Amino acid sequence: MTLTAPAPPAPADAPKRPARRPRSRTGTSAWTPWLYLLPALAVLGALLVYPVYQLGLISFLEYTQAQVSGGEPTSFQGFGNYTALFTDPQFRQVLLATVVFAAACVAGTLAVGCALAVLLTRVRALPRLALMLAALGAWATPAVTGSTVWVFLFDADFGPVNKLLGLGDFSWTYGRYSAFALVLLEVVWCSFPFVMVTVYAGIRAVPTEVLEAAALDGASQWRIWRTVTAPLLRPILAVVTIQSVIWDFKVFTQIYVMTNGGGIAGQNLVLNVYAYQQAFASSQYSLGAAIGVVMLLLLLAVTLVYLRLLRRQGEDL
């Protein structure tokens, strides 16, 4: 047996090897994804960071028409604008109405979109094409145009819906809850196509063997959706849910057009319309900016909480 002598120790002044950069499972550098995202991050930073900074800055100042015109100097108010907001009973009422209204819109949009996505997988090619074209037409309709059409359809004097239902001269926009219900229907109508198309694409990507195995085990269509399809579509459902929350929480056009600026005595106000009234109708730009910051923080909190729940459930997002 031949014994080999141990290698001599390296001298103290020998150059050390540079540490290797961490690499992912595919062998690429950990910084490679960030390099691909850098152009998009630069554009988003230029378009979002500075406006958000200005919004936050104005919310801490006294900034009214007097300061805009130069008649009075701008003064720092600290959290005075936020204190005025949260001590205002109308703001708290509008905030609650916005949360409830947005939750109802998100639930309705997801229910209609997911149901029609499942229906698309059950019908033939021609009805599927007709449904897709009709849905995309609703999605492509501008918000002002769609809102105006819905106001005409439900008009108390000339609307065909009242005549069809035999409601006479019933005004949908007079009562608070009927006006919110009318706007909710319009928001769901123009929002469900995004959910439908996205979820339909996800369903088509689910392996047919899994669905066939569940059907052979005697599972109903509802049970297959609840226990097989929906868990596989969880990342897609997370995306459409977050998008729906963001869109429906900051609804402005539908409320403003269909309720004529927030309804009778402001009974149909939501945060976006309330911020518009404070900033441009009352020239309280700092209060409008504070409402915008509150909306931004609420949406960020909802998004982060939802993503955290998904990560706890083991989803790779």
Side-chain angles (χ1 to χ4, degrees), residues 101-115 184 187-189 191-192 195 248:
F101 176 74
C105 289
V106 171
T109 302
L110 292 178
V112 174
C114 292
L184 184 147
V187 171
V188 171
W189 172 77
S191 302
F192 83 85
V195 178
D248 296 339

Side-chain angles (χ1 to χ4, degrees), residues 1 43 61 74 114 118 160 175 201 220 266 278 281:
M1 178 182 295
V43 173
L61 303 175
T74 302
C114 292
V118 175
S220 63
Q278 292 294 323

Side-chain angles (χ1 to χ4, degrees), residues 49-73:
V49 173
Y50 182 72
V52 170
Y53 163 74
Q54 286 292 333
L55 185 72
L57 178 62
I58 293 175
S59 70
F60 289 103
L61 303 175
E62 183 184 0
Y63 200 69
T64 62
Q65 187 61 39
Q67 283 76 29
V68 173
S69 60
E72 295 182 8

Side-chain angles (χ1 to χ4, degrees), residues 114-290:
C114 292
L116 291 179
V118 175
L119 179 63
L120 287 177
T121 63
R122 300 284 185 261
V123 298
R124 297 181 180 273
L126 188 59
R128 184 188 309 125
L129 178 62
L131 180 56
M132 291 283 285
L133 291 177
L136 293 178
W139 194 15
T141 303
V144 174
T145 305
S147 301
T148 306
V149 170
W150 274 75
V151 169
F152 168 75
L153 291 176
F154 289 84
D155 184 76
D157 298 321
F158 307 104
V161 175
N162 279 11
K163 295 180 181 179
L164 182 64
L165 298 178
L167 296 177
D169 58 351
F170 175 75
S171 176
W172 291 83
T173 57
Y174 182 78
R176 183 187 185 195
Y177 297 107
S178 60
F180 269 129
L182 181 60
V183 178
L184 184 147
L185 291 175
E186 201 278 337
V187 171
V188 171
W189 172 77
C190 67
S191 302
F192 83 85
F194 170 74
V195 178
M196 183 190 73
V197 172
T198 307
V199 174
Y200 172 71
I203 293 176
R204 300 297 294 180
V206 174
T208 56
E209 297 82 3
V210 178
L211 302 178
E212 292 174 355
L216 290 175
D217 289 339
S220 63
Q221 294 298 327
W222 167 246
R223 187 172 180 83
I224 291 175
W225 165 261
R226 185 170 58 87
T227 61
V228 179
T229 309
L232 293 176
L233 296 178
R234 193 169 292 160
I236 294 177
L237 293 176
V239 172
V240 297
T241 300
I242 293 172
Q243 290 277 13
S244 298
V245 169
I246 293 174
W247 288 342
D248 296 339
F249 194 83
K250 59 186 185 68
V251 164
F252 174 83
T253 305
Q254 290 87 346
I255 289 285
Y256 194 82
V257 172
M258 299 178 71
T259 64
N260 196 19
I264 300 173
Q267 63 182 2
N268 296 113
L269 284 175
V270 292
L271 281 179
N272 240 352
V273 180
Y274 186 61
Y276 174 82
Q277 288 187 353
Q278 292 294 323
F280 298 102
S282 303
S283 298
Q284 298 287 336
Y285 302 108
S286 52
L287 285 178

